[in-house]
Amino acid sequence: MKISKNYNVITPPALEEAPLPIELSVPADCAGLRFDQTLAKLLPQHSRSRLSAWLKAGHIQLDHQLSSPSQKVWEYQKIQFIPLTDPKVSVFAAQSIPINVVFEDAALIIINKPAGLVVHPGSGNWDGTLLNALLNHYPPLKEIPRAGIVHRLDKDTSGLLVVAKTLIAQTSLVRQLQVHSVTREYVAVVHGLVSHSGVVDAPIGRHKTQRTRMAVAPNGKEAITHYEPIESLMMATVLCCRLETGRTHQIRVHMTSIGHPLIGDPVYGSKRKAPEFSRQALHAEKLALTHPINGQRLTWQAPIPEDIKTLIEGLRQDPESKGKHNSASKRI
């Protein structure tokens, strides 16, 4: 994995805003399905209850006609969709919060999120979030569910995150995430020596007794993490972790499950002797996806933040680990 000092940004041509209403064509694999089932497949970024409400209100039509949820649809029929403002977004205020935008066009915003910034308002963090900042940066996002946010980073995880500026872009990104075609690579500093690459394929769900925690659970959702050591020290290993799925706290839970929790993790961390670090040592370094409009494959890479660099350098200088790190030691 290459650790770059600069962002690798490829700029596509200028794009037009998606027109409203949006028109979709029924694909072959939906022929014969109920209208509501087809909508759920074509518009997965919306809940079934929201789609049902819009359908009943006449904001979704089939061949420009009002239709029932149970009506069967056929290939090439046209669906007209007039989206409404997401009420969950409209209640939040736009706030002038600095954000590091590393790429933006008419369809996408790529953010390099700092550690400490909450992505979406929730219990204990009803403002001062990335969503509030995005509504200030680009006010039309109030019309997009979750203000265009299609995946999240934990509060104290830094790095790259993609935001959709239109419903068409959001639908495309959700589908890419579902089929695992979005590349998300992280740098993680974990306890102990990890000598070989590997894969953790273990479902993740809520902890049985501690509901704010996640855990490997037989009845959880599928979760797959690929990991590769890029630098080994006496006390720790620097890993490249690639997500195949995107469950809450996935890397943190999976690394803990194999005996290598992240240094600094306040929830899943280890009690072993370790250097002081104020957050989980995790950074979303690389993001790659297919542009929703022009189909171009784009890649971005965010520099390792200074706090993680300082942590790694301190581990290199540890008297017990001096001379022990491998050939990858100068990559960070």
Side-chain angles (χ1 to χ4, degrees):
M1 179 182 65
K2 180 181 179 182
I3 308 298
S4 172
K5 294 183 179 180
N6 301 304
Y7 297 103
N8 178 17
V9 179
I10 306 169
T11 306
L15 304 172
E16 297 293 331
E17 285 286 352
L20 295 177
I22 295 169
E23 185 168 88
L24 304 172
S25 182
V26 176
D29 62 354
C30 289
L33 294 180
R34 289 167 50 110
F35 194 18
D36 55 359
Q37 292 173 327
T38 300
L39 292 173
K41 288 188 67 174
L42 297 182
L43 299 166
Q45 75 273 28
H46 300 296
S47 67
R48 288 178 181 265
S49 60
R50 179 175 295 152
L51 290 171
S52 177
W54 287 348
L55 183 58
K56 291 177 181 178
H59 292 283
I60 305 178
Q61 299 182 3
L62 184 65
D63 289 334
H64 297 283
Q65 300 291 324
L66 296 178
S67 302
S68 70
S70 61
Q71 180 173 336
K72 289 187 177 182
V73 301
W74 304 102
E75 187 177 4
Y76 304 123
Q77 282 188 290
K78 302 298 182 182
I79 298 171
Q80 291 75 38
F81 173 42
I82 306 174
L84 302 178
T85 301
D86 184 349
K88 292 182 181 179
V89 172
S90 61
V91 300
F92 298 121
Q95 294 179 313
S96 181
I97 300 169
I99 52 175
N100 185 355
V101 177
V102 301
F103 173 87
E104 182 171 7
D105 64 7
L108 302 175
I109 306 173
I110 307 297
I111 306 291
N112 183 15
K113 188 188 85 67
L117 180 63
V118 174
V119 171
H120 195 281
S123 179
N125 296 283
W126 292 111
D127 60 7
T129 71
L130 177 62
L131 184 145
N132 299 107
L134 287 167
L135 292 176
N136 179 73
H137 175 78
Y138 186 66
L141 286 174
K142 68 180 183 294
E143 307 292 338
I144 309 297
R146 296 179 296 281
I149 297 168
V150 296
H151 68 113
R152 302 186 189 188
L153 296 176
D154 295 336
K155 174 184 176 181
D156 289 324
T157 297
S158 57
L160 296 172
L161 182 144
V162 60
V163 176
K165 293 176 71 175
T166 69
L167 282 166
I168 288 177
Q170 189 179 52
T171 300
S172 172
L173 292 172
V174 169
R175 289 176 179 169
Q176 289 182 54
L177 287 164
Q178 288 175 334
V179 299
H180 309 156
S181 64
V182 175
T183 299
R184 289 171 290 169
E185 291 185 1
Y186 293 69
V187 170
V189 188
V190 302
H191 287 276
L193 178 63
V194 182
S195 57
H196 302 288
S197 300
V199 179
V200 182
D201 184 349
I204 290 176
R206 289 285 171 191
H207 193 282
K208 287 183 178 180
T209 58
Q210 298 173 298
R211 305 306 291 173
T212 59
R213 293 170 57 114
M214 308 301 289
V216 169
N219 297 324
K221 294 182 179 179
E222 179 188 37
I224 302 173
T225 303
H226 301 257
Y227 61 91
E228 175 188 358
I230 57 177
E231 181 170 352
S232 299
L233 301 170
M234 181 67 72
M235 295 177 59
T237 304
V238 183
L239 298 179
C240 170
C241 295
R242 180 173 61 83
L243 292 182
E244 192 169 320
T245 55
R247 306 304 174 201
T248 301
H249 301 172
Q250 179 171 318
I251 292 173
R252 299 164 65 188
V253 171
H254 272 174
M255 291 302 101
T256 297
S257 74
I258 62 171
H260 296 286
L262 272 65
I263 286 179
D265 193 325
V267 178
Y268 307 100
S270 171
K271 295 181 180 180
R272 318 176 202 184
K273 181 182 177 182
E276 291 291 330
F277 198 64
S278 61
R279 64 178 178 106
Q280 63 263 13
L282 186 63
H283 173 68
E285 187 211 23
K286 185 177 180 180
L287 176 69
L289 53 85
T290 300
H291 195 279
I293 307 301
N294 61 27
Q296 185 179 5
R297 189 71 178 173
L298 303 179
T299 300
W300 297 269
Q301 190 160 313
I304 307 301
E306 289 302 318
D307 62 343
I308 293 182
K309 284 184 178 179
T310 300
L311 170 67
I312 293 171
E313 187 59 33
L315 291 169
R316 287 178 183 150
Q317 294 176 0
D318 188 290
E320 295 184 13
S321 65
K322 187 175 182 180
K324 299 289 186 179
H325 45 272
N326 62 22
S327 60
S329 63
K330 299 304 181 183
R331 296 168 68 179
I332 297 179

Short mmCIF file of all heavy atoms in Angstrom, two decimals, residues 36-87:
data_model
loop_
_atom_site.label_atom_id
_atom_site.label_comp_id
_atom_site.label_asym_id
_atom_site.label_seq_id
_atom_site.Cartn_x
_atom_site.Cartn_y
_atom_site.Cartn_z
N ASP A 36 -44.07 -2.16 -5.58
CA ASP A 36 -43.33 -1.78 -4.38
C ASP A 36 -42.02 -2.56 -4.24
O ASP A 36 -41.01 -2.03 -3.76
CB ASP A 36 -44.19 -1.94 -3.13
CG ASP A 36 -44.80 -3.32 -2.95
OD1 ASP A 36 -44.56 -4.19 -3.81
OD2 ASP A 36 -45.51 -3.52 -1.95
N GLN A 37 -42.00 -3.83 -4.69
CA GLN A 37 -40.76 -4.61 -4.66
C GLN A 37 -39.73 -4.02 -5.62
O GLN A 37 -38.54 -3.96 -5.31
CB GLN A 37 -41.06 -6.06 -5.02
CG GLN A 37 -41.88 -6.81 -3.98
CD GLN A 37 -42.29 -8.19 -4.46
OE1 GLN A 37 -42.52 -8.42 -5.65
NE2 GLN A 37 -42.37 -9.13 -3.52
N THR A 38 -40.20 -3.60 -6.78
CA THR A 38 -39.32 -2.99 -7.78
C THR A 38 -38.72 -1.69 -7.26
O THR A 38 -37.52 -1.43 -7.41
CB THR A 38 -40.09 -2.74 -9.08
OG1 THR A 38 -40.59 -3.97 -9.58
CG2 THR A 38 -39.19 -2.09 -10.14
N LEU A 39 -39.55 -0.86 -6.61
CA LEU A 39 -39.05 0.39 -6.06
C LEU A 39 -37.99 0.14 -4.99
O LEU A 39 -36.98 0.86 -4.94
CB LEU A 39 -40.22 1.19 -5.47
CG LEU A 39 -41.24 1.73 -6.47
CD1 LEU A 39 -42.42 2.36 -5.73
CD2 LEU A 39 -40.61 2.74 -7.41
N ALA A 40 -38.20 -0.88 -4.17
CA ALA A 40 -37.22 -1.19 -3.13
C ALA A 40 -35.88 -1.58 -3.74
O ALA A 40 -34.81 -1.28 -3.19
CB ALA A 40 -37.75 -2.30 -2.24
N LYS A 41 -35.90 -2.28 -4.88
CA LYS A 41 -34.65 -2.69 -5.54
C LYS A 41 -33.98 -1.52 -6.24
O LYS A 41 -32.76 -1.39 -6.23
CB LYS A 41 -34.94 -3.79 -6.56
CG LYS A 41 -35.29 -5.14 -5.95
CD LYS A 41 -35.37 -6.23 -6.99
CE LYS A 41 -34.01 -6.53 -7.61
NZ LYS A 41 -34.03 -7.69 -8.52
N LEU A 42 -34.78 -0.65 -6.88
CA LEU A 42 -34.20 0.43 -7.67
C LEU A 42 -33.82 1.65 -6.83
O LEU A 42 -32.96 2.43 -7.24
CB LEU A 42 -35.19 0.86 -8.77
CG LEU A 42 -35.55 -0.18 -9.83
CD1 LEU A 42 -36.49 0.41 -10.86
CD2 LEU A 42 -34.29 -0.71 -10.51
N LEU A 43 -34.46 1.81 -5.67
CA LEU A 43 -34.21 2.98 -4.83
C LEU A 43 -33.86 2.53 -3.41
O LEU A 43 -34.56 2.85 -2.45
CB LEU A 43 -35.44 3.89 -4.83
CG LEU A 43 -35.85 4.45 -6.19
CD1 LEU A 43 -37.24 5.04 -6.12
CD2 LEU A 43 -34.84 5.50 -6.65
N PRO A 44 -32.78 1.76 -3.26
CA PRO A 44 -32.46 1.18 -1.95
C PRO A 44 -32.06 2.18 -0.90
O PRO A 44 -31.99 1.84 0.29
CB PRO A 44 -31.32 0.22 -2.28
CG PRO A 44 -30.65 0.82 -3.49
CD PRO A 44 -31.78 1.41 -4.29
N GLN A 45 -31.76 3.42 -1.29
CA GLN A 45 -31.38 4.42 -0.30
C GLN A 45 -32.57 4.93 0.49
O GLN A 45 -32.41 5.63 1.49
CB GLN A 45 -30.64 5.59 -0.96
CG GLN A 45 -31.54 6.57 -1.73
CD GLN A 45 -31.77 6.13 -3.15
OE1 GLN A 45 -31.74 4.95 -3.47
NE2 GLN A 45 -32.01 7.09 -4.03
N HIS A 46 -33.79 4.58 0.04
CA HIS A 46 -35.00 4.98 0.75
C HIS A 46 -35.62 3.78 1.46
O HIS A 46 -35.61 2.67 0.93
CB HIS A 46 -36.03 5.57 -0.24
CG HIS A 46 -35.54 6.77 -0.98
ND1 HIS A 46 -35.23 7.95 -0.34
CD2 HIS A 46 -35.31 6.98 -2.30
CE1 HIS A 46 -34.82 8.84 -1.25
NE2 HIS A 46 -34.86 8.27 -2.43
N SER A 47 -36.20 4.03 2.62
CA SER A 47 -36.87 2.95 3.34
C SER A 47 -38.15 2.56 2.61
O SER A 47 -38.74 3.36 1.87
CB SER A 47 -37.20 3.39 4.76
OG SER A 47 -38.19 4.42 4.74
N ARG A 48 -38.60 1.33 2.85
CA ARG A 48 -39.84 0.86 2.23
C ARG A 48 -41.03 1.72 2.68
O ARG A 48 -41.94 1.99 1.90
CB ARG A 48 -40.07 -0.61 2.56
CG ARG A 48 -39.13 -1.55 1.83
CD ARG A 48 -39.37 -3.00 2.24
NE ARG A 48 -38.46 -3.91 1.56
CZ ARG A 48 -38.76 -4.58 0.45
NH1 ARG A 48 -39.94 -4.42 -0.11
NH2 ARG A 48 -37.89 -5.39 -0.10
N SER A 49 -41.03 2.14 3.95
CA SER A 49 -42.14 2.95 4.44
C SER A 49 -42.19 4.30 3.74
O SER A 49 -43.27 4.80 3.42
CB SER A 49 -42.03 3.13 5.96
OG SER A 49 -40.82 3.78 6.30
N ARG A 50 -41.02 4.89 3.49
CA ARG A 50 -40.99 6.18 2.79
C ARG A 50 -41.44 6.02 1.34
O ARG A 50 -42.23 6.83 0.83
CB ARG A 50 -39.58 6.77 2.84
CG ARG A 50 -39.47 8.11 2.13
CD ARG A 50 -38.11 8.72 2.31
NE ARG A 50 -37.88 9.05 3.70
CZ ARG A 50 -36.69 9.08 4.28
NH1 ARG A 50 -35.62 8.79 3.58
NH2 ARG A 50 -36.56 9.40 5.55
N LEU A 51 -40.98 4.97 0.68
CA LEU A 51 -41.40 4.74 -0.70
C LEU A 51 -42.91 4.51 -0.77
O LEU A 51 -43.59 5.01 -1.68
CB LEU A 51 -40.65 3.54 -1.28
CG LEU A 51 -39.16 3.75 -1.55
CD1 LEU A 51 -38.50 2.42 -1.91
CD2 LEU A 51 -38.94 4.76 -2.68
N SER A 52 -43.43 3.76 0.19
CA SER A 52 -44.87 3.51 0.23
C SER A 52 -45.66 4.80 0.40
O SER A 52 -46.68 5.01 -0.28
CB SER A 52 -45.20 2.54 1.37
OG SER A 52 -46.58 2.33 1.47
N ALA A 53 -45.18 5.67 1.28
CA ALA A 53 -45.88 6.95 1.51
C ALA A 53 -45.84 7.81 0.26
O ALA A 53 -46.85 8.44 -0.12
CB ALA A 53 -45.23 7.68 2.68
N TRP A 54 -44.69 7.87 -0.41
CA TRP A 54 -44.59 8.66 -1.64
C TRP A 54 -45.47 8.08 -2.75
O TRP A 54 -46.06 8.82 -3.53
CB TRP A 54 -43.13 8.72 -2.09
CG TRP A 54 -42.28 9.61 -1.24
CD1 TRP A 54 -42.70 10.50 -0.28
CD2 TRP A 54 -40.86 9.69 -1.24
NE1 TRP A 54 -41.63 11.12 0.30
CE2 TRP A 54 -40.49 10.66 -0.27
CE3 TRP A 54 -39.87 9.06 -1.97
CZ2 TRP A 54 -39.16 11.01 -0.03
CZ3 TRP A 54 -38.54 9.40 -1.72
CH2 TRP A 54 -38.19 10.35 -0.76
N LEU A 55 -45.54 6.74 -2.80
CA LEU A 55 -46.37 6.09 -3.81
C LEU A 55 -47.85 6.43 -3.59
O LEU A 55 -48.57 6.79 -4.53
CB LEU A 55 -46.15 4.59 -3.77
CG LEU A 55 -46.88 3.71 -4.78
CD1 LEU A 55 -46.55 4.13 -6.20
CD2 LEU A 55 -46.50 2.25 -4.57
N LYS A 56 -48.30 6.35 -2.33
CA LYS A 56 -49.69 6.67 -2.02
C LYS A 56 -50.01 8.13 -2.28
O LYS A 56 -51.14 8.47 -2.64
CB LYS A 56 -49.99 6.31 -0.56
CG LYS A 56 -49.99 4.81 -0.28
CD LYS A 56 -50.21 4.53 1.20
CE LYS A 56 -50.18 3.04 1.47
NZ LYS A 56 -50.33 2.74 2.93
N ALA A 57 -49.01 9.00 -2.09
CA ALA A 57 -49.23 10.43 -2.30
C ALA A 57 -49.12 10.85 -3.76
O ALA A 57 -49.32 12.02 -4.09
CB ALA A 57 -48.23 11.23 -1.45
N GLY A 58 -48.80 9.89 -4.63
CA GLY A 58 -48.71 10.20 -6.05
C GLY A 58 -47.40 10.77 -6.51
O GLY A 58 -47.27 11.23 -7.64
N HIS A 59 -46.38 10.70 -5.62
CA HIS A 59 -45.07 11.23 -5.99
C HIS A 59 -44.22 10.20 -6.75
O HIS A 59 -43.13 10.53 -7.23
CB HIS A 59 -44.32 11.70 -4.75
CG HIS A 59 -44.95 12.90 -4.12
ND1 HIS A 59 -44.80 14.18 -4.62
CD2 HIS A 59 -45.77 13.02 -3.05
CE1 HIS A 59 -45.48 15.03 -3.88
NE2 HIS A 59 -46.08 14.36 -2.93
N ILE A 60 -44.72 8.98 -6.84
CA ILE A 60 -44.10 7.96 -7.69
C ILE A 60 -45.19 7.39 -8.58
O ILE A 60 -46.24 6.96 -8.09
CB ILE A 60 -43.46 6.82 -6.85
CG1 ILE A 60 -42.46 7.39 -5.84
CG2 ILE A 60 -42.77 5.81 -7.78
CD1 ILE A 60 -41.83 6.33 -4.94
N GLN A 61 -44.95 7.40 -9.91
CA GLN A 61 -45.96 6.94 -10.86
C GLN A 61 -45.33 5.93 -11.82
O GLN A 61 -44.11 5.90 -12.01
CB GLN A 61 -46.55 8.12 -11.64
CG GLN A 61 -47.25 9.13 -10.76
CD GLN A 61 -47.87 10.27 -11.55
OE1 GLN A 61 -47.84 10.28 -12.78
NE2 GLN A 61 -48.46 11.24 -10.83
N LEU A 62 -46.17 5.14 -12.42
CA LEU A 62 -45.76 4.16 -13.41
C LEU A 62 -46.36 4.57 -14.75
O LEU A 62 -47.58 4.62 -14.89
CB LEU A 62 -46.23 2.76 -13.01
CG LEU A 62 -45.78 1.60 -13.91
CD1 LEU A 62 -44.25 1.43 -13.86
CD2 LEU A 62 -46.45 0.30 -13.47
N ASP A 63 -45.49 4.86 -15.72
CA ASP A 63 -45.94 5.35 -17.04
C ASP A 63 -46.91 6.52 -16.88
O ASP A 63 -47.95 6.60 -17.53
CB ASP A 63 -46.59 4.22 -17.84
CG ASP A 63 -45.58 3.19 -18.31
OD1 ASP A 63 -44.39 3.56 -18.46
OD2 ASP A 63 -45.96 2.04 -18.51
N HIS A 64 -46.55 7.43 -15.95
CA HIS A 64 -47.30 8.67 -15.69
C HIS A 64 -48.71 8.40 -15.16
O HIS A 64 -49.60 9.25 -15.28
CB HIS A 64 -47.39 9.53 -16.96
CG HIS A 64 -46.05 10.00 -17.44
ND1 HIS A 64 -45.36 11.04 -16.84
CD2 HIS A 64 -45.26 9.56 -18.46
CE1 HIS A 64 -44.21 11.22 -17.48
NE2 HIS A 64 -44.13 10.35 -18.45
N GLN A 65 -48.92 7.22 -14.56
CA GLN A 65 -50.22 6.88 -14.00
C GLN A 65 -50.05 6.52 -12.52
O GLN A 65 -49.05 5.91 -12.13
CB GLN A 65 -50.84 5.69 -14.74
CG GLN A 65 -51.07 5.92 -16.22
CD GLN A 65 -52.16 6.94 -16.50
OE1 GLN A 65 -53.15 7.00 -15.78
NE2 GLN A 65 -51.99 7.73 -17.54
N LEU A 66 -51.07 6.86 -11.71
CA LEU A 66 -51.07 6.41 -10.33
C LEU A 66 -51.24 4.90 -10.32
O LEU A 66 -52.06 4.35 -11.06
CB LEU A 66 -52.22 7.07 -9.55
CG LEU A 66 -52.14 8.59 -9.40
CD1 LEU A 66 -53.37 9.09 -8.66
CD2 LEU A 66 -50.88 9.00 -8.66
N SER A 67 -50.45 4.21 -9.48
CA SER A 67 -50.47 2.75 -9.46
C SER A 67 -50.45 2.25 -8.02
O SER A 67 -49.95 2.93 -7.12
CB SER A 67 -49.27 2.19 -10.22
OG SER A 67 -49.26 2.64 -11.56
N SER A 68 -50.97 1.05 -7.83
CA SER A 68 -50.99 0.46 -6.49
C SER A 68 -49.67 -0.25 -6.21
O SER A 68 -48.97 -0.66 -7.15
CB SER A 68 -52.14 -0.54 -6.38
OG SER A 68 -51.87 -1.69 -7.15
N PRO A 69 -49.33 -0.44 -4.94
CA PRO A 69 -48.09 -1.13 -4.60
C PRO A 69 -48.03 -2.55 -5.16
O PRO A 69 -46.95 -3.06 -5.46
CB PRO A 69 -48.10 -1.15 -3.07
CG PRO A 69 -48.96 0.00 -2.68
CD PRO A 69 -50.02 0.08 -3.73
N SER A 70 -49.20 -3.20 -5.30
CA SER A 70 -49.22 -4.61 -5.72
C SER A 70 -49.23 -4.81 -7.24
O SER A 70 -49.13 -5.93 -7.72
CB SER A 70 -50.45 -5.31 -5.13
OG SER A 70 -51.64 -4.69 -5.59
N GLN A 71 -49.33 -3.72 -7.99
CA GLN A 71 -49.38 -3.85 -9.45
C GLN A 71 -48.07 -4.43 -9.98
O GLN A 71 -46.99 -4.01 -9.56
CB GLN A 71 -49.65 -2.49 -10.10
CG GLN A 71 -49.71 -2.55 -11.62
CD GLN A 71 -50.14 -1.23 -12.22
OE1 GLN A 71 -50.80 -0.44 -11.56
NE2 GLN A 71 -49.78 -0.99 -13.47
N LYS A 72 -48.16 -5.37 -10.90
CA LYS A 72 -46.96 -5.94 -11.49
C LYS A 72 -46.38 -4.99 -12.54
O LYS A 72 -47.12 -4.29 -13.23
CB LYS A 72 -47.26 -7.30 -12.12
CG LYS A 72 -47.54 -8.40 -11.09
CD LYS A 72 -47.67 -9.77 -11.75
CE LYS A 72 -47.86 -10.84 -10.69
NZ LYS A 72 -47.95 -12.20 -11.30
N VAL A 73 -45.06 -5.00 -12.64
CA VAL A 73 -44.38 -4.14 -13.62
C VAL A 73 -43.66 -5.00 -14.63
O VAL A 73 -43.38 -6.18 -14.38
CB VAL A 73 -43.39 -3.19 -12.92
CG1 VAL A 73 -44.09 -2.31 -11.91
CG2 VAL A 73 -42.26 -3.97 -12.25
N TRP A 74 -43.36 -4.41 -15.77
CA TRP A 74 -42.73 -5.15 -16.85
C TRP A 74 -41.57 -4.35 -17.42
O TRP A 74 -41.50 -3.13 -17.29
CB TRP A 74 -43.76 -5.48 -17.94
CG TRP A 74 -44.92 -6.25 -17.38
CD1 TRP A 74 -46.16 -5.75 -17.09
CD2 TRP A 74 -44.92 -7.61 -16.94
NE1 TRP A 74 -46.95 -6.72 -16.52
CE2 TRP A 74 -46.22 -7.87 -16.42
CE3 TRP A 74 -43.97 -8.64 -16.95
CZ2 TRP A 74 -46.57 -9.12 -15.91
CZ3 TRP A 74 -44.34 -9.87 -16.44
CH2 TRP A 74 -45.62 -10.11 -15.94
N GLU A 75 -40.64 -5.07 -18.03
CA GLU A 75 -39.43 -4.46 -18.56
C GLU A 75 -39.76 -3.29 -19.48
O GLU A 75 -40.72 -3.35 -20.25
CB GLU A 75 -38.60 -5.50 -19.31
CG GLU A 75 -37.23 -5.00 -19.75
CD GLU A 75 -36.41 -6.07 -20.43
OE1 GLU A 75 -36.92 -7.20 -20.63
OE2 GLU A 75 -35.23 -5.77 -20.76
N TYR A 76 -38.96 -2.24 -19.36
CA TYR A 76 -39.03 -1.02 -20.17
C TYR A 76 -40.13 -0.06 -19.73
O TYR A 76 -40.21 1.05 -20.26
CB TYR A 76 -39.18 -1.32 -21.67
CG TYR A 76 -38.09 -2.20 -22.22
CD1 TYR A 76 -38.39 -3.40 -22.86
CD2 TYR A 76 -36.74 -1.86 -22.08
CE1 TYR A 76 -37.40 -4.22 -23.36
CE2 TYR A 76 -35.74 -2.66 -22.58
CZ TYR A 76 -36.08 -3.85 -23.22
OH TYR A 76 -35.08 -4.66 -23.71
N GLN A 77 -41.00 -0.45 -18.79
CA GLN A 77 -41.94 0.54 -18.29
C GLN A 77 -41.15 1.64 -17.59
O GLN A 77 -40.06 1.42 -17.07
CB GLN A 77 -42.94 -0.10 -17.32
CG GLN A 77 -44.06 -0.88 -18.00
CD GLN A 77 -45.11 -1.32 -17.01
OE1 GLN A 77 -44.86 -2.19 -16.18
NE2 GLN A 77 -46.30 -0.73 -17.09
N LYS A 78 -41.73 2.84 -17.54
CA LYS A 78 -41.04 3.99 -16.97
C LYS A 78 -41.64 4.36 -15.62
O LYS A 78 -42.85 4.39 -15.45
CB LYS A 78 -41.14 5.19 -17.92
CG LYS A 78 -40.56 4.94 -19.31
CD LYS A 78 -39.07 4.63 -19.26
CE LYS A 78 -38.51 4.44 -20.67
NZ LYS A 78 -37.07 4.09 -20.64
N ILE A 79 -40.74 4.62 -14.68
CA ILE A 79 -41.14 5.05 -13.35
C ILE A 79 -40.77 6.52 -13.19
O ILE A 79 -39.60 6.90 -13.39
CB ILE A 79 -40.44 4.22 -12.26
CG1 ILE A 79 -40.85 2.75 -12.38
CG2 ILE A 79 -40.77 4.75 -10.87
CD1 ILE A 79 -40.04 1.81 -11.50
N GLN A 80 -41.74 7.35 -12.86
CA GLN A 80 -41.49 8.77 -12.61
C GLN A 80 -41.46 8.99 -11.09
O GLN A 80 -42.37 8.58 -10.38
CB GLN A 80 -42.57 9.66 -13.23
CG GLN A 80 -42.55 9.69 -14.75
CD GLN A 80 -43.12 8.43 -15.38
OE1 GLN A 80 -44.09 7.86 -14.89
NE2 GLN A 80 -42.51 7.98 -16.47
N PHE A 81 -40.40 9.62 -10.63
CA PHE A 81 -40.15 9.73 -9.20
C PHE A 81 -39.89 11.20 -8.87
O PHE A 81 -38.93 11.79 -9.37
CB PHE A 81 -38.96 8.85 -8.83
CG PHE A 81 -38.47 8.99 -7.42
CD1 PHE A 81 -39.36 9.07 -6.36
CD2 PHE A 81 -37.11 9.02 -7.15
CE1 PHE A 81 -38.91 9.18 -5.05
CE2 PHE A 81 -36.64 9.13 -5.86
CZ PHE A 81 -37.55 9.21 -4.80
N ILE A 82 -40.74 11.79 -8.01
CA ILE A 82 -40.55 13.17 -7.56
C ILE A 82 -40.21 13.11 -6.08
O ILE A 82 -41.10 13.00 -5.23
CB ILE A 82 -41.82 14.02 -7.79
CG1 ILE A 82 -42.26 13.93 -9.25
CG2 ILE A 82 -41.56 15.47 -7.39
CD1 ILE A 82 -43.57 14.62 -9.54
N PRO A 83 -38.93 13.13 -5.72
CA PRO A 83 -38.55 12.99 -4.32
C PRO A 83 -38.94 14.20 -3.49
O PRO A 83 -39.00 15.32 -3.99
CB PRO A 83 -37.02 12.84 -4.38
CG PRO A 83 -36.64 13.53 -5.65
CD PRO A 83 -37.79 13.32 -6.61
N LEU A 84 -39.21 13.98 -2.23
CA LEU A 84 -39.53 15.03 -1.30
C LEU A 84 -38.39 15.21 -0.31
O LEU A 84 -37.56 14.32 -0.13
CB LEU A 84 -40.82 14.69 -0.53
CG LEU A 84 -42.06 14.45 -1.39
CD1 LEU A 84 -43.23 14.07 -0.48
CD2 LEU A 84 -42.40 15.67 -2.20
N THR A 85 -38.38 16.35 0.34
CA THR A 85 -37.35 16.60 1.35
C THR A 85 -37.40 15.55 2.45
O THR A 85 -38.47 15.19 2.92
CB THR A 85 -37.56 18.00 1.97
OG1 THR A 85 -37.48 18.98 0.94
CG2 THR A 85 -36.50 18.30 3.02
N ASP A 86 -36.23 15.06 2.82
CA ASP A 86 -36.15 14.10 3.93
C ASP A 86 -36.43 14.85 5.23
O ASP A 86 -35.65 15.72 5.63
CB ASP A 86 -34.75 13.48 3.97
CG ASP A 86 -34.61 12.41 5.03
OD1 ASP A 86 -35.53 12.28 5.87
OD2 ASP A 86 -33.60 11.70 5.00
N PRO A 87 -37.56 14.55 5.92
CA PRO A 87 -37.87 15.30 7.13
C PRO A 87 -36.81 15.16 8.21
O PRO A 87 -36.62 16.04 9.02
CB PRO A 87 -39.20 14.67 7.59
CG PRO A 87 -39.24 13.32 6.94
CD PRO A 87 -38.53 13.50 5.63
#
